[in-house]
């Protein structure tokens, strides 16, 4: 794993956006796996700046988002679909038909997960962005006794409910979600992990130095040949 430490999240966002934009210039039809949460927001902001200055076009890229809450209307302000619309998609020239999400309101969750797995297998993911849960989760792959494989429905852990419920000021937070599995994530050709703030420091330490174990799902990234870990000083404080 390559580990890079930045003075703050804005500098991290600028450097990573510059890398992603240069990758799009070399391959305009790049396929991305995108993440939600606070961690990637500075990267998305900086990507929008490149677009506004006319320095890049996103009109050929394809995106697959990592995860989505179950039984939360897509239009709800807390759905990950709304998050991506607000923080990136409505501000760039991506084509609606190239945006892919798990449908957390599907009638048959197994069929929905299979549909998404097939789409990902068919297209492949060139670059996957990841945030990190305080308990070491990636996507919504929570600590467990076994590594997960493809997309599936998960009951969220207490730690994740506690961390994410701050965003749910009007309605209670859903306790279930659909997520890409660990194997789906590991199939990406290249992975950029973003972690900022001291609440991530323990999880970052475990991910890099701990045993490869499903008890810390992100530790599986030690086995991937092309992972870049982008941290601010606070998230890196135990390294
Ligand atoms: C959620 C998402 C993850 C994300 C994590 C960290 O649980 N499912 O994909 O990485 O939150 O979020 P934040 O970046 O807000 O700390």
């Amino acid at each position: 794993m390559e580990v890079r430490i930045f003075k703050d999240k804005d500098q991290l966002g600028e450097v990573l956006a510059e890398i992603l934009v240069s990758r799009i210039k070399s391959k305009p039809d790049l396929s991305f796996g995108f993440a939600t949460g606070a961690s990637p927001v500075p990267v998305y902001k900086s990507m929008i700046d490149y677009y506004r200055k006319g320095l890049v076009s996103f009109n050929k890229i394809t995106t697959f988002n990592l995860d989505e809450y179950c039984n939360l209307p897509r239009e709800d302000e807390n759905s990950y679909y709304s998050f991506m619309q607000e923080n990136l998609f409505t501000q760039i020239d991506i084509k609606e038909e190239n945006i892919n999400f798990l449908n957390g309101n599907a009638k048959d969750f197994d069929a929905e997960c299979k549909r998404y797995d097939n789409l990902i297998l068919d297209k492949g993911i060139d670059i996957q962005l990841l945030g990190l849960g305080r308990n070491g989760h990636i996507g919504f792959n929570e600590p467990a006794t076994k590594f997960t494989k493809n997309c599936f429905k998960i009951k969220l852990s207490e730690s994740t409910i506690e961390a994410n419920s701050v965003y749910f000021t009007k309605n209670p937070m859903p306790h279930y979600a659909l997520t890409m599995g660990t194997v789906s994530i590991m199939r990406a050709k290249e992975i950029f992990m973003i972690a900022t703030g001291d609440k991530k420091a323990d999880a970052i330490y475990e991910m890099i130095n701990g045993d490869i174990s499903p008890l810390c799902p992100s530790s599986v990234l030690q086995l991937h040949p092309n992972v870049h870990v982008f941290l601010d000083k606070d998230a890196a404080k135990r390294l």
Side-chain angles (χ1 to χ4, degrees), residues 31-36 44 62-69 74 80-81 84 89 94 96-106 108-125 127-129 139-141 149-153 177-185 187:
S31 172
F32 280 103
F34 276 156
T36 51
Y44 296 151
T62 299
T63 64
F64 293 93
N65 258 82
L66 267 173
D67 44 16
E68 182 58 284
Y69 291 112
R74 197 171 90 146
Y80 285 162
Y81 176 82
M84 289 305 299
F89 294 152
I94 188 169
E96 181 68 31
E97 65 264 31
N98 292 341
I99 296 173
N100 296 288
F101 264 87
L102 280 155
N103 176 6
N105 293 292
D108 178 343
F109 289 129
D110 287 343
E112 172 57 12
C113 287
K114 280 205 184 93
R115 177 193 72 85
Y116 207 64
D117 282 330
N118 288 337
L119 274 180
I120 294 173
L121 279 174
D122 198 38
K123 179 81 185 166
I125 291 180
I127 294 182
Q128 176 70 54
L129 298 191
F140 270 135
N141 292 273
K149 293 181 182 161
N150 295 316
C151 296
F152 69 106
K153 181 181 172 187
L178 301 183
T179 181
M180 278 164 58
T182 312
V183 173
S184 331
I185 294 170
R187 280 197 194 105

Side-chain angles (χ1 to χ4, degrees), residues 34-41 66-69 80 83 129-135 137-142 156 160-161 163-164 167 173 177-179 193-196 199-200:
F34 276 156
T36 51
S39 309
V41 169
L66 267 173
D67 44 16
E68 182 58 284
Y69 291 112
Y80 285 162
F83 177 96
L129 298 191
L130 290 177
L132 181 68
R134 292 177 203 174
N135 59 6
H137 78 226
I138 45 176
F140 270 135
N141 292 273
E142 298 281 30
L156 301 175
T160 299
I161 292 169
N164 292 9
Y167 299 114
M173 180 183 152
L178 301 183
T179 181
M193 151 74 66
I194 307 154
T196 53
K199 290 195 172 114
K200 303 292 171 72

